[in-house]
Structure formats: structure tokens, C-alpha cells
């Protein structure tokens, strides 16, 4: 949006500079500008300071480090966490100075190499394949992985930590800066891969950690272009309705029951859209599935900053009010100039 606003601002500046505008008109422009900033954009209330310290685990980093964050469940128009995770990693790098997988210049979180590596790594760890995870990360030159367990749901947190403790049984832990961070060490290989691993559709979730679940919260994100129809969730053959969320493109179901061992899940519309298996890792299990990507490890944190909150409808209508105001003003100026033109013509006709 900023190129459009820049061009609009230049056009407005040129327009104002070309006309001899009266003081009342300039006051109207000033009032309109202040109104737009305070009422529509709400800048004073959407800006805030967020002081951040650097977790002490980064003082132990000896080489390239991978910051491992969960996926983000998009609820509403915006999600701060996608950009927060990248900016935090870049900010921390300003202290430890080691190589990271984030592109600190790019503004699109989806284009980050870290995100692509995480999409491959997390399903591998969730299923307990620590040998493949460790050897692959070492071939890519990583000497450590930093994990923030509190960002994950309880079940995913247990699965991840169970896998990482098999890689490094004595991690470095820090609790400063308001963050619980864990650093797991690796041994970088001298021969390093250059091509990023390709993630596959995850259809199995958790086999090494088994906890009897009493409740299951399930979210399903259909693929692009899928027409929303009534969906059903089948858990070991038992059918449960999936309801459409108001603030998200997902369907969800909350199920109370006993889930012990490995359960089979199916999302059914006219056909089977997705099928997978999971082993519960917490008493209150939370699962998120994308039709295109399979199981996702999503963050358990849902709060958003004031900078990303939706602008109320009454505030967006200020644009309509300003447009009508300027329209009335321009019509008034048009008729005023037309009247002056007629008066001048009549004066010439009578020889004045």
C-alpha cells in the first residue's frame, strides 16, 4: 500500500502548490489530514514500544543456529506472529553474530528459509525420527537449535522436547527476557548441503509420546479454491460435525472423549479430503490440519498487538465523509467560478 500512498501524497502536494488556495481551504485540508490520521488510521493508539532483551542461551552459540518456531493459525485479517518470529531472530543475531536462516531484509515471512526448514523438520521430530533430523541439520551446517517450548501447544511441546532430548540430553536453558528458551547442540558436518529439504504432506503425528487425551480440539484448513460445504470429522469411524469459524477460513470441532493409543482421522465432504493418524500427547489435545500440508504445529499464543487490530467500521467510514466533504467543496468552487465568469462576460458586454 505504501507506493500508492506515496504517489497520492505527491499528487496532492503538486495539486495544492499549483492553486492559490485560500486560508479557509488550507484549514479544511489540515483538519481533514488530522481527522484521517487520528480517526481512520488510529496511529496514536496502534503504536507501542516493545522492549526486548536477548535470551542468555545465545551466549553459548558457537556457529550457525536455527530458531525453531511453530506455525501460526491465522484468525482475522492479520497475524503478528509471522513477522515477529523473523524480526526476533534478526534482533537476536545483532548480539550473537552467528549465521541464521532468516532473511532480515525480506518482509514476507513465507519466503524465509527458516520457515521452509521448520516445515520439514517439525513433522520428522513429531514422529520421533531424531536420527534423520540430527544428521540433516548437521549436513546443513547448523551447530545448534533454539526452541521456545511455551509457544507450542502442550501436546506438541512434549513431542518436540522428547525428540530433542534424544539429540542433546543436556541442553542450555535460559529464562531471562521473559522467554523460556532451550538450546540443543549439534555437530556441524564439514561437507554441507546447499539445497533446502522438501517437506511432504504430514499424515502421521506423534508416535513416541502417548498420553490419554480427554478432549480433542481439531482445526481443519481446506485447500485453496475449495467450496465450503458441510464437513465431517471421522475419529476411528465415529462422525463429528465440523463447524465453520467466523474469523478464520477453518472448520473446527471440539470433542470430549477418551483417546488412547493411535487414532485415525478423516475429514469428509463429498469425498475424503484428508486422512491421517495421531497419537495424543496431552490430556487436552489440540490438532491443526491443512488439507495441502497435513498436520501443523501451531502456536498456542493468540494475542495480537494493537498495531494489527482491525479498524472499526465507523472509522473506515471517515473516508466516505471526507470524500463527500471535498465533493461539496469542489462543487461550490465550480459554481463560484462559473458565476465570476458570467459576471466578467456581462461587464465586457456593457463596456466596463
Amino acid at each position: 500500500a505504501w507506493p500508492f500512498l506515496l504517489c497520492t501524497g505527491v499528487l496532492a502536494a503538486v495539486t495544492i502548490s499549483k492553486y492559490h488556495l485560500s486560508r479557509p481551504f488550507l484549514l479544511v485540508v489540515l483538519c481533514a489530514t488530522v481527522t484521517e490520521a487520528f480517526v481512520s488510521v488510529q496511529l496514536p493508539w496502534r503504536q507501542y514500544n516493545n522492549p526486548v532483551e536477548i535470551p542468555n542461551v545465545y551466549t553459548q552459540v558457537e556457529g550457525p543456529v536455527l530458531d525453531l518456531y511453530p506455525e501460526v493459525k491465522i484468525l482475522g485479517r492479520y497475524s503478528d506472529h509471522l513477522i515477529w518470529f523473523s524480526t526476533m531472530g534478526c534482533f537476536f543475531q545483532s548480539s550473537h553474530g552467528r549465521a541464521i536462516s532468516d532473511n532480515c531484509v525480506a518482509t514476507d515471512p513465507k519466503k524465509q528459509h527458516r520457515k521452509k526448514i521448520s516445515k520439514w523438520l517439525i513433522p520428522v521430530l513429531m514422529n520421533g525420527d531424531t536420527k534423520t533430523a540430527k544428521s540433516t541439520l548437521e549436513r546443513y551446517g547448523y551447530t545448534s537449535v533454539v526452541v521456545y517450548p511455551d509457544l507450542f501447544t502442550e501436546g506438541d511441546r512434549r513431542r518436540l522436547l522428547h525428540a530433542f532430548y534424544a539429540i542433546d540430553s543436556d541442553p542450555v536453558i535460559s529464562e531471562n527476557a521473559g522467554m523460556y528458551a532451550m538450546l540443543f547442540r549439534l555437530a556441524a558436518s564439514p561437507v554441507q548441503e546447499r539445497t533446502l529439504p522438501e517437506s511432504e504432506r504430514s499424515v502421521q503425528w506423534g508416535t513416541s509420546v502417548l498420553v490419554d487425551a480427554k478432549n480433542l480440539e481439531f482445526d481443519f484448513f481446506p485447500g485453496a479454491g475449495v467450496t465450503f460445504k458441510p464437513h465431517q470429522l471421522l475419529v476411528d469411524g465415529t462422525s463429528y460435525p465440523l463447524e465453520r469459524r467466523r474469523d478464520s477460513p477453518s472448520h473446527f470441532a471440539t470433542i470430549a472423549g477418551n483417546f488412547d493409543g493411535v487414532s485415525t482421522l478423516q475429514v469428509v465432504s463429498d469425498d475424503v479430503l484428508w486422512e491421517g493418524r495421531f497419537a495424543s500427547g496431552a490430556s487436552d489435545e489440540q490438532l491443526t490440519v491443512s488439507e495441502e500440508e497435513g498436520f501443523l504445529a501451531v502456536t498456542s499464543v493468540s494475542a495480537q498487538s494493537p498495531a494489527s487490530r482491525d479498524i472499526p467500521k465507523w472509522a473506515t467510514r471517515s473516508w466516505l465523509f471526507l470524500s463527500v466533504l471535498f465533493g461539496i467543496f469542489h462543487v461550490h468552487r465550480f459554481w463560484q467560478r462559473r458565476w465570476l465568469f458570467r459576471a466578467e462576460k456581462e461587464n465586457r458586454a456593457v463596456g466596463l
Side-chain angles (χ1 to χ4, degrees), residues 65 67 69 82-109 111-114:
V65 57
D67 297 312
Y69 300 106
L82 288 173
I83 194 66
W84 279 358
F85 293 157
S86 294
T87 54
M88 280 199 309
C90 295
F91 176 70
F92 297 156
Q93 188 197 35
S94 66
S95 174
H96 63 74
R98 304 297 183 179
I100 60 175
S101 299
D102 284 285
N103 184 346
C104 297
V105 179
T107 57
D108 186 358
K111 296 181 180 179
Q112 299 290 352
H113 292 325
R114 170 189 54 76

Side-chain angles (χ1 to χ4, degrees), residues 27 56 82 97 130 133 196 229 246:
L27 289 176
N56 289 335
L82 288 173
T130 56
L196 295 176
K229 299 178 180 179
R246 294 182 179 180

Side-chain angles (χ1 to χ4, degrees), residues 240-251:
Y240 302 93
L242 285 173
E243 301 178 18
R244 173 76 184 277
R245 288 191 185 275
R246 294 182 179 180
D247 55 358
S248 170
S250 70
H251 292 70

